[in-house]
Amino acid sequence: MIKNIGAKFIGRSVCQWGEEADIPKNLQQERELAQKIHASDPDIILQACIFEIVTLQVNKLAIPKWAFTALGVPIKKRNFNYADMLYPDGKFKNQWGEGSVPDVSRLETKLYFYYLAVCYINIGIEGIHFGQVELMNKNDPNLDNYNQVLTLTRNYAAKHARRHIILCDSHVPGGGFVRNGKLLMDFHAFPLRIMETPGQPEEAMLKVGHTDALYGRSKGGITPSGWSCEHLPYLVEFDNYGVSKYPGKEKAGDIPFWVWGYDEISWFAHQSKQYRAQWLTYAYNWVKKTDLNGHLEMPGGRQTTSPLDHKKWYYANKPGTAVPDGQGDEDTIREIWAPGGNGAK
């Protein structure tokens, strides 16, 4: 599918959410997959994620000596400490069930984030999505700690990454992190924030100003690579965050982000193939016309929560032996991206 659609940037190709004890084993598999991808096309950028979650399993990971050295603290033979990553006042503890939001101002969190970043760079990753950074910086008002983590990561990448660079992004409901006129991220990212079309069951649209949508709000400044902009380019994605108590219903309540009772990717996944093709073309063109700094991140594969049809994953792939549950949207994506194709309208 990647070859067919011509993708050059694969978002969330490594998507570790909790389960930290599996990281060493996963890294070996991810290295092999990255090598396979780069053998087919060395230009492709693979992105990993350092999310807004940490669980007790992190206590099973040993801290390497080089992490202590990079942070300028004495080397100790020990494992990471879950409790020392959390907000001291208990904020966001067990926010994700058994997972909590780490506090980036704490040394233990910075050690862990740097450890992950280096491990990902070493297996061929050239992009890192830092998740919901505004949940993790409540004790970092001047962004000094995030700046430290990102600077250390970029310095390591300059020497050791495949092409001596790492592209960093994060979700930015506030428009972006700017410190002393300098942007901390190379580009921004955010959910599409899809809006139900009132009175038209299952249909949906995009609208500037719907909830906290990023359209027209991406902050500018001097980028990490040295160029300046009024608005930093950004990606918008089909987000996943679950399902309401009223799947398929308008104004399902609880939170303002439900799309007919679903998260964005679950809503999209259970539409007809024809409507998915139509909607992808519409979204691509709408974003392009509405904000030149915005770009639609196509859905390749993502977890869904869809109790009515019991689907747990969306695959854009053509259905076949390798991906029997593929929903066949890859040709639509290729046509949208093709010169003079559907996305050129």
Side-chain angles (χ1 to χ4, degrees):
M1 182 183 76
I2 291 171
K3 283 183 178 180
N4 182 32
I5 65 179
K8 296 295 184 180
F9 179 87
I10 312 298
R12 302 185 181 223
S13 59
V14 175
C15 204
Q16 183 83 38
W17 180 265
E19 301 182 351
E20 294 88 352
D22 292 336
I23 288 174
K25 174 187 67 177
N26 291 345
L27 285 168
Q28 181 56 42
Q29 182 183 22
E30 290 152 5
R31 181 193 297 274
E32 294 170 0
L33 290 169
Q35 290 172 346
K36 184 177 180 180
I37 291 292
H38 289 139
S40 69
D41 185 347
D43 288 340
I44 288 175
I45 295 172
L46 298 173
Q47 181 194 65
C49 301
I50 298 177
F51 281 124
E52 61 281 4
I53 185 173
V54 65
T55 76
L56 277 166
Q57 285 196 32
V58 79
N59 292 341
K60 298 180 180 180
L61 291 177
I63 306 176
K65 294 179 180 179
W66 48 259
F68 289 113
T69 301
L71 270 295
V73 295
I75 296 172
K76 294 182 179 180
K77 187 176 181 180
R78 68 175 180 86
N79 289 1
F80 286 107
N81 188 310
Y82 166 79
D84 287 346
M85 296 183 190
L86 308 189
Y87 281 96
D89 63 0
K91 187 186 280 95
F92 301 132
K93 186 174 183 179
N94 298 326
Q95 177 80 2
W96 319 115
E98 296 181 355
S100 301
V101 175
D103 174 357
V104 76
S105 73
R106 306 203 70 180
L107 173 62
E108 199 76 0
T109 298
K110 291 187 285 187
L111 284 167
Y112 178 54
F113 284 1
Y114 182 69
Y115 159 80
L116 288 176
V118 168
C119 288
Y120 290 144
I121 290 168
N122 288 346
I123 63 170
I125 294 296
E126 295 177 288
I128 296 178
H129 173 72
F130 280 86
Q132 295 191 60
V133 289
E134 292 183 26
L135 291 182
M136 297 179 279
N137 82 317
K138 302 304 183 184
N139 290 332
D140 188 29
N142 298 319
L143 304 176
D144 295 336
N145 294 285
Y146 259 119
N147 182 64
Q148 181 184 15
V149 170
L150 290 163
T151 298
L152 288 172
T153 298
R154 290 186 171 109
N155 288 344
Y156 185 84
K159 295 179 180 179
H160 302 285
R162 288 183 71 239
R163 285 174 285 191
H164 307 289
I165 193 171
I166 190 81
L167 298 178
C168 301
D169 80 291
S170 63
H171 276 189
V172 288
F177 278 180
V178 184
R179 180 178 179 271
N180 301 327
K182 296 183 178 180
L183 289 151
L184 265 61
M185 301 297 167
D186 295 282
F187 62 96
H188 291 148
F190 211 59
L192 275 158
R193 292 303 191 224
I194 301 169
M195 177 180 173
E196 297 170 350
T197 303
Q200 300 294 321
E202 293 290 337
E203 294 188 12
M205 57 188 287
L206 298 172
K207 183 180 179 181
V208 175
H210 176 57
T211 65
D212 56 352
L214 190 58
Y215 311 114
R217 297 195 303 110
S218 182
K219 292 181 180 179
I222 301 172
T223 69
S225 50
W227 52 279
S228 61
C229 59
E230 292 185 7
H231 301 280
L232 190 67
Y234 63 92
L235 293 176
V236 282
E237 65 189 84
F238 288 83
D239 203 4
N240 71 287
Y241 39 88
V243 64
S244 75
K245 297 177 182 178
Y246 307 102
K249 303 296 183 181
E250 188 175 358
K251 298 179 181 178
D254 298 310
I255 59 174
F257 308 125
W258 298 125
V259 188
W260 296 99
Y262 297 95
D263 63 27
E264 295 176 345
I265 191 62
S266 300
W267 164 80
F268 178 78
H270 74 243
Q271 301 305 310
S272 69
K273 184 177 180 180
Q274 180 181 0
Y275 189 62
R276 291 198 307 272
Q278 176 188 330
W279 208 89
L280 280 181
T281 302
Y282 153 77
Y284 178 93
N285 288 315
W286 186 93
V287 172
K288 191 173 183 180
K289 291 176 182 177
T290 301
D291 186 348
L292 290 175
N293 302 291
H295 304 272
L296 176 63
E297 187 170 15
M298 293 293 180
R302 195 147 189 175
Q303 179 183 357
T304 60
T305 309
S306 191
L308 298 185
D309 56 16
H310 307 293
K311 291 182 178 179
K312 296 182 178 180
W313 199 268
Y314 164 80
Y315 300 93
N317 309 63
K318 295 177 182 177
T321 304
V323 191
D325 295 325
Q327 294 190 230
D329 294 329
E330 62 176 278
D331 285 346
T332 296
I333 296 171
R334 182 194 64 209
E335 290 165 6
I336 290 172
W337 281 349
N342 293 333
K345 294 178 182 177

